[in-house]
Amino acid sequence: MNADAPAISRQPKTPIWLANLVDKYTWLVVILVALFVLTFAYGMITAPNFLTWFNFKTIIRDAALVGIMAIGLTFVTLSGNFFLLSMKETAALAIVAFATAMSAGYGFEISFLFTMGVAVVAGALQGILIGLGGNPIVVTLGAAGLFFGIASWWSDNLVISFRRPHGAEWLGSGSFMGLPNITVAFILIAIVAELVLRYSTFGRQVYLIGSNRAAGKATGHENFSMAIKTCIIASACSAFVAIAFSAQVSSAHVNYFSSSFGSSGDMTILVIATVMVAGNSIMGGFGSSLRSSLGAIFISTVDNMMVLHGFNSGPRVLAVGLMIVFSIIVFALVRRGSRVQE
Amino acid sequence: MSNSSNISFVSKARLWVTNNPDLAFAILLAICVYGYFAFSNELFATHRTTYAIMERFAVLGLVGLALTLCIIAGEIDLSIGSNAALAAVIVVRFTDSLGAINAALIAIAISTLVGLIQGYFIAYLRIRAIVLTVGTLMLLRGVSLFAAEEKTVMLTDFTIPDFISTKMFMYFSPASLLVIAVFVAVALFMQFTRYGREIYAVGGARKEALASGIDLKRPMMVVFSISGFCAGLGGCIIGLRSGTAQALGLQYLLLAGTVAAFIGGVSILGGRGGVIGAAIGTLTVNFLNTGLVFNVTPAFMVQLYLGVLLMVVIVFQTGSQMFDTYQRRQQILGDVDLVRGELLSKKRESPI
């Protein structure tokens, strides 16, 4: 959506632009997008205190956690391996690992490395199964149950907390130049991910395998290693979010990322929603991590707007759900018949 | 005489096993799981436990059936938990004012309609079902939060929950009898009607099926409306039996149903498996669930076991796929060698 809105306003203001748009897309898409932009603008103007710098910072901060996970998932999606249904369970495993290590008295650095190690193992396990030819949805559904069970068993389903001067406050509640550190981390990760995807060999391989797996195989880039690498990236991003969240609240529980986290439903679905609302092709090969970051900010903006208007959680989840379905339909119609779609 | 009939029975059984390896494996697994719990706990193999297992079967069986059909058609319906939760919320909320039957009919109609619309859009937009159903998962959650007004809805009159779990014929209740009837109907539908065979065709070889003139819309709409119907009926049974419903609940159904479907012998590539497999797979999952409860296992461990089970099944399936490809490759190489050998010998025989 974010990508489409400026494209419309950039057209010259003659009746021809409308005709061109309708030619290129269809009436349905144009009307839907126009309606959406109007609603969005109306909500933006009428919401109290929406257009302030402070609110803008709040929006970005809300988007940060989901955004980082969405950037990680974008790698998996771009490489043509659909999406992982185990994002929040990986995060639950990581948060338990981190809090256990912290409460045992190891410093922040060792706990961080330990958690990342756990996440890499979790990601590699899924990646191997996916790379061997297992369906990503089913594999990660099973892995989700497995990780959640392990995390609950490990923490005995209790809240693990660690004392305040623990050396991780800077990540949880510190700030840098007026921005919370987690926001800074989000921006940095977004920039690095975009650069890696756009300019590095690895990034181009991700696009190659995602857009044409047969060509990738013929040129010696198997999906096996790619699935492992991308799953590890996604898991590591989940683990990073878990660490940041745990550092913020100085405790951990397996259910932190389950239902009623943030605005809408659970974390996994919210992350997948972010990737899809941003218009990345689920079949792989088309999209970018910048899109995902903007998608996270966009969802957070809509959510923020609805909170300012005083809506309950029901309508907010409904709105996010409508946005996903709407964007799926619009992107499918726009790409109808092109190779990107199927 | 008796000896010969015995031999023919054994050979028949062997033939059946070679023809249905998936189903045979599912039955073997079910017997093993049941046997393990029956021997490790003397309370397990009793009439009461069987009744409890059938009660669980009433809900999980429907979800397993729905997911089996979806996977046969080569798609997967992720929104099934949300759909069931929506039906549960609607039925519990409106039972007091409209009566249980009307409320259940409305809930099931809405769920089926949701499934139908999903199927239509999946076929019309030519997108993968996972893409759309992730969206509807969230959307339906929002709708059910909206319908429940963000609260846990409750029944005030508990005669209906009592009626639903009355014991009949020793092992059954009205709910489980209804579910068994649904199973029989769907099995007949899948086996003997053109629409049912179309579903298999679309799943097993989609390009060929489309090329031979099947309209993708029809099987997709049929599959997803059956899936919506099953989710709705399952949600109604859960809601009416417990008397409460939560908008964000019932998400565990997806994992359990998928495990049941895969144990029942569906292949992720589509076109394989059947209703009997779904029933056996669900029963296996129920044996496991109930047995673990008997052995005092915390709820999250059940999820862990289910996850491990699903991973193991996936590893087996992927392994057998890889083995098939390997064998085919070996055969091609062998054929090539054979032809080359003939050519070489001809060359040697012929004078230069």
Side-chain angles (χ1 to χ4, degrees):
Chain A
M1 288 307 81
N2 272 8
D4 280 14
I8 289 173
S9 55
R10 237 183 273 136
Q11 302 285 336
K13 291 222 180 287
T14 43
I16 300 165
W17 65 265
L18 191 63
N20 280 343
L21 272 182
V22 172
D23 253 15
K24 197 168 173 194
Y25 306 117
T26 53
W27 268 113
L28 186 62
V29 173
V30 173
I31 290 172
L32 281 177
V33 172
L35 260 179
F36 180 79
V37 170
L38 281 180
T39 324
F40 192 66
Y42 174 77
M44 213 182 235
I45 293 163
T46 53
N49 295 328
F50 183 78
L51 296 167
T52 57
W53 172 239
F54 178 75
N55 195 43
F56 182 69
K57 280 201 294 190
T58 315
I59 290 173
I60 308 260
R61 199 194 62 213
D62 287 348
L65 293 181
V66 176
I68 293 172
M69 272 164 116
I71 290 169
L73 190 62
T74 310
F75 281 83
V76 177
T77 307
L78 283 182
S79 71
N81 290 313
F82 303 139
F83 38 75
L84 305 180
L85 283 178
S86 60
M87 296 298 279
K88 84 171 185 226
E89 281 80 3
T90 313
L93 188 60
I95 202 171
V96 168
F98 181 71
T100 312
M102 287 297 278
S103 64
Y106 303 102
F108 171 73
E109 289 79 12
I110 294 183
S111 309
F112 184 88
L113 287 178
F114 174 64
T115 312
M116 281 299 169
V118 169
V120 166
V121 170
L125 176 71
Q126 299 170 57
I128 290 170
L129 285 177
I130 294 172
L132 286 175
N135 182 290
I137 305 299
V138 185
V139 167
T140 54
L141 189 62
L146 179 64
F147 294 158
F148 193 77
I150 292 177
S152 319
W153 175 62
W154 192 357
S155 66
D156 233 344
N157 228 340
L158 298 172
V159 175
I160 306 170
S161 51
F162 40 93
R163 294 253 168 97
R164 239 319 146 157
H166 48 55
E169 290 95 345
W170 63 272
L171 182 60
S173 41
S175 59
F176 174 75
M177 283 170 48
L179 289 172
N181 274 343
I182 188 71
T183 310
V184 177
F186 171 48
I187 295 169
L188 285 181
I189 289 177
I191 292 171
V192 169
E194 184 63 22
L195 289 179
V196 164
L197 275 178
R198 204 171 273 192
Y199 297 114
S200 77
T201 320
F202 169 71
R204 302 322 297 175
Q205 283 169 3
V206 170
Y207 278 106
L208 169 64
I209 291 180
S211 53
N212 195 338
R213 194 164 284 185
K217 197 170 181 179
T219 49
H221 304 301
E222 295 270 355
N223 185 37
F224 181 68
S225 58
M226 185 51 71
I228 297 177
K229 284 178 201 161
T230 49
C231 284
I232 287 178
I233 291 175
S235 282
C237 286
S238 295
F240 183 79
V241 168
I243 291 171
F245 192 69
S246 182
Q248 205 169 359
V249 296
S250 298
S251 64
H253 186 244
V254 283
N255 280 342
Y256 275 175
F257 295 97
S258 295
S259 57
S260 72
F261 179 87
S263 62
S264 13
D266 66 56
M267 196 79 174
T268 311
I269 302 300
L270 195 58
V271 170
I272 295 171
T274 306
V275 172
M276 295 209 303
V277 164
N280 297 303
S281 167
I282 286 295
M283 307 311 293
F286 179 80
S288 69
S289 73
L290 188 64
R291 274 174 179 258
S292 299
S293 341
L294 291 178
I297 295 175
F298 173 71
I299 286 187
S300 166
T301 310
V302 172
D303 196 52
N304 181 282
M305 206 161 73
M306 292 186 77
V307 170
L308 289 179
H309 273 287
F311 284 104
N312 281 334
S313 70
R316 270 153 52 203
V317 177
L318 193 66
V320 176
L322 271 179
M323 263 164 10
I324 311 173
V325 173
F326 170 83
S327 67
I328 291 165
I329 292 176
V330 167
F331 281 114
L333 284 176
V334 168
R335 291 177 195 152
R336 187 168 249 270
S338 77
R339 194 189 51 77
V340 176
Q341 199 196 332
E342 195 162 1
Chain B
M1 188 63 199
S2 68
N3 200 11
S4 73
S5 76
N6 197 15
I7 287 170
S8 76
F9 173 73
V10 168
S11 59
K12 257 185 204 166
R14 189 176 291 164
L15 190 68
W16 185 83
V17 168
T18 30
N19 284 339
N20 309 291
D22 299 326
L23 209 54
F25 175 72
I27 293 173
L28 186 70
L29 192 67
I31 292 173
C32 285
V33 172
Y34 191 82
Y36 171 73
F37 285 115
F39 280 113
S40 67
N41 195 319
E42 73 264 18
L43 286 175
F44 190 72
T46 55
H47 297 309
R48 276 190 205 164
T49 315
T50 315
Y51 168 76
I53 289 172
M54 287 315 290
E55 280 296 276
R56 282 181 178 233
F57 179 78
V59 174
L60 199 53
L62 285 171
V63 179
L65 178 67
L67 283 170
T68 301
L69 291 196
C70 289
I71 299 172
I72 286 175
E75 306 285 354
I76 191 163
D77 186 358
L78 297 177
S79 71
I80 196 155
S82 305
N83 212 345
L86 177 63
V89 165
I90 289 175
V91 80
V92 172
R93 188 148 180 224
F94 291 107
T95 292
D96 287 340
S97 51
L98 298 174
I101 295 175
N102 286 337
L105 284 180
I106 290 174
I108 293 173
I110 290 176
S111 291
T112 315
L113 194 67
V114 167
L116 191 75
I117 294 171
Q118 276 182 16
Y120 178 79
F121 271 107
I122 288 163
Y124 174 70
L125 298 172
R126 292 283 177 99
I127 49 178
R128 300 291 292 254
I130 46 167
V131 180
L132 189 68
T133 50
V134 160
T136 45
L137 195 164
M138 196 93 165
L139 184 64
L140 291 177
R141 249 186 213 179
V143 174
S144 37
L145 270 176
F146 200 64
E149 294 171 343
E150 291 106 27
K151 287 178 292 204
T152 303
V153 285
M154 277 197 186
L155 283 182
T156 48
D157 172 22
F158 275 83
T159 48
I160 298 142
D162 290 343
F163 168 71
I164 280 191
S165 35
T166 356
K167 229 181 238 191
M168 286 173 156
F169 311 112
M170 199 103 137
Y171 299 134
F172 302 107
S173 68
S176 54
L177 285 177
L178 182 63
V179 171
I180 290 170
V182 170
F183 261 82
V184 172
V186 173
L188 293 177
F189 172 79
M190 289 297 278
Q191 204 63 40
F192 295 113
T193 63
R194 223 180 81 198
Y195 300 120
R197 304 315 295 173
E198 273 181 1
I199 293 169
Y200 276 99
V202 162
R206 179 158 302 179
K207 276 181 191 160
E208 290 82 343
L210 295 185
S212 67
I214 292 179
D215 185 5
L216 187 62
K217 271 178 201 149
R218 195 169 46 203
M220 281 297 148
M221 278 159 77
V222 169
V223 163
F224 278 88
S225 35
I226 293 178
S227 165
F229 173 80
C230 288
L233 186 57
C236 285
I237 292 174
I238 293 181
L240 286 179
R241 200 159 62 191
S242 63
T244 60
Q246 275 182 324
L248 295 176
L250 303 187
Q251 299 299 327
Y252 63 92
L253 285 178
L254 179 65
L255 176 62
T258 315
V259 175
F262 274 94
I263 291 176
V266 296
S267 155
I268 192 64
L269 302 174
R272 277 168 62 193
V275 175
I276 302 171
I280 294 170
T282 319
L283 281 176
T284 314
V285 172
N286 282 339
F287 294 154
L288 189 73
N289 262 336
T290 319
L292 288 175
V293 170
F294 268 87
N295 290 353
V296 199
T297 325
F300 55 81
M301 288 304 277
V302 176
Q303 214 183 2
L304 198 156
Y305 283 117
L306 285 180
V308 171
L309 207 56
L310 187 55
M311 303 277 268
V312 168
V313 173
I314 290 300
V315 167
F316 267 109
Q317 265 197 10
T318 323
S320 76
Q321 274 169 34
M322 281 165 68
F323 184 68
D324 275 359
T325 343
Y326 173 77
Q327 264 191 335
R328 215 172 294 142
R329 201 182 148 83
Q330 287 296 315
Q331 196 173 1
I332 291 171
L333 287 178
D335 289 353
V336 169
D337 277 357
L338 211 65
V339 174
R340 199 163 56 186
E342 277 177 15
L343 287 178
L344 279 177
S345 60
K346 258 184 207 166
K347 202 174 173 185
R348 231 173 271 139
E349 278 165 21
S350 60
I352 301 163

